[in-house]
Amino acid sequence: MSENELAVGGNRMRKLNRGAMLLAIYCLLLPSALVSLAYGTDKKEIVRQARQSYYNLANAGMNEFRCQLLPDWDATFKTLKADPIGRDQVLPILRKTHFELLVGPDGASTVSHRSELVPPNEDVAERVRKATGGTEQVLTGFLQTWSGFMVKPTPLPDAASDYQFEDLGDKYRLTIKEASADALILMGRDFQIEEMKAATPEFSATIRPKFVRIKNQFILSSYDGVYKAGSGDPQELSVEIEYGDVQGLSLPSKVAATVRLPSGAVAFPLIFTDCQVKKR
């Protein structure tokens, strides 16, 4: 593999981003035109309690936060098996490239970067652009999925919204349907979301999240995603998240994303540093 794989990973992440957005659209923004399906007050109470079981930065007082990002380029380039030009000319420039992210109160995010070094020629410059662009796509995709659990309201629907609720014994299943898309959420009896699916005629996505408990609330600790567009091959992504305390809020401190490509897995380890929070 070469640095081009880094850009390919970023392009794959653009597709993964669509999956994250679908899950947000069809699991959070429920259309009011749906015919209300039968569920009792007890089922509404289950969903209400489940929503309250998830940690939410906006509810904790966050207005926005920004962080500097330090990609572990050495680890990424080991998975890329870079050639001598990549190791000797591209990698030193990437080490001097600084990334910054900003996440707002609704979970919307922006990612930017700047470099201290100028590439010696256009070939190296193009390879640097592909590497930084791929990394920005990975980060943007992560933030879209992560904010759906940690900044926006939980992916569980509002208790009074229109959805089908089923008690499967050891799990609960919530189903949302509309003309162009279906969504499904599987949740354990302890209220942990175990699987989320969204599908349209053109695209399908499945996310299997895992959580840790902090102060009796669930915080997203990792997730696996499988995404498929049209007749294309499924794309797989795994993400692991570590947290730190910033002004009393739990924010990411390390994120390790792995995109699985036909030629092998590409790792994108990221360290979050110098995080600053604005509270309401």
Side-chain angles (χ1 to χ4, degrees):
M1 287 185 283
S2 67
E3 292 85 18
N4 286 336
E5 292 286 14
L6 201 58
V8 172
N11 291 333
R12 296 289 170 86
M13 281 303 304
R14 190 176 293 110
K15 296 179 181 179
L16 306 189
N17 295 353
R18 293 178 57 197
M21 292 173 67
L22 275 173
L23 289 170
I25 292 170
Y26 300 119
C27 295
L28 295 177
L29 306 178
L30 302 178
S32 59
L34 282 173
V35 177
S36 180
L37 297 169
Y39 52 88
T41 303
D42 58 330
K43 297 175 182 179
K44 291 182 181 180
E45 180 62 18
I46 290 172
V47 174
R48 187 191 68 80
Q49 291 181 20
R51 284 171 60 89
Q52 293 179 347
S53 298
Y54 287 82
Y55 181 80
N56 183 275
L57 285 164
N59 292 342
M62 185 208 79
N63 187 54
E64 68 175 36
F65 75 89
R66 66 176 66 240
C67 297
Q68 303 297 316
L69 291 165
L70 301 176
D72 187 345
W73 293 111
D74 293 271
T76 298
F77 269 56
K78 284 182 180 178
T79 62
L80 291 171
K81 299 180 176 62
D83 60 16
I85 293 178
R87 292 192 304 270
D88 299 338
Q89 298 187 51
V90 177
L91 183 56
I93 295 174
L94 294 175
R95 287 173 177 156
K96 293 292 185 178
T97 301
H98 306 278
F99 290 79
E100 182 177 85
L101 68 84
L102 172 66
V103 177
D106 60 353
S109 62
T110 58
V111 180
S112 60
H113 73 272
R114 59 181 177 83
S115 180
E116 297 179 11
L117 300 178
V118 177
N121 54 60
E122 179 56 30
D123 178 59
V124 173
E126 177 63 17
R127 293 172 71 162
V128 169
R129 283 193 292 269
K130 288 181 177 179
T132 55
T135 299
E136 285 192 353
Q137 286 294 329
V138 169
L139 182 58
T140 299
F142 160 72
L143 290 171
Q144 287 179 340
T145 299
W146 175 83
S147 65
F149 289 95
M150 296 290 295
V151 183
K152 300 175 184 178
T154 167
L156 293 168
D158 184 271
S161 299
D162 296 316
Y163 54 90
Q164 181 179 5
F165 182 103
E166 300 172 85
D167 188 337
L168 305 180
D170 60 338
K171 302 180 192 303
Y172 301 117
R173 179 164 59 199
L174 286 75
T175 306
I176 305 103
K177 292 180 178 291
E178 63 173 68
S180 60
D182 297 334
L184 179 147
I185 300 175
L186 279 178
M187 177 176 66
R189 300 193 78 87
D190 62 353
F191 304 143
Q192 287 195 69
I193 295 173
E194 298 177 0
E195 185 175 81
M196 300 171 58
K197 293 184 177 182
T200 72
E202 299 82 21
F203 198 86
S204 64
T206 300
I207 290 179
R208 297 182 178 88
K210 293 186 181 300
F211 304 88
V212 295
R213 275 187 181 272
I214 296 180
K215 297 180 180 179
N216 294 320
Q217 289 187 304
F218 294 123
I219 287 184
L220 183 67
S221 61
S222 66
Y223 62 89
D224 294 324
V226 179
Y227 309 84
K228 190 174 187 299
S231 59
D233 294 331
Q235 307 300 326
E236 297 182 20
L237 168 74
S238 296
V239 175
E240 295 184 358
I241 311 159
E242 296 182 21
Y243 290 87
D245 184 279
V246 181
Q247 296 179 223
L249 301 178
S250 294
L251 296 180
S253 59
K254 294 181 181 179
V255 171
T258 302
V259 180
R260 294 177 180 84
L261 304 173
S263 53
V266 180
F268 295 87
L270 298 163
I271 297 175
F272 290 58
T273 185
D274 298 329
C275 293
Q276 300 176 2
V277 174
K278 287 185 180 180
K279 294 185 175 181
R280 292 194 299 272

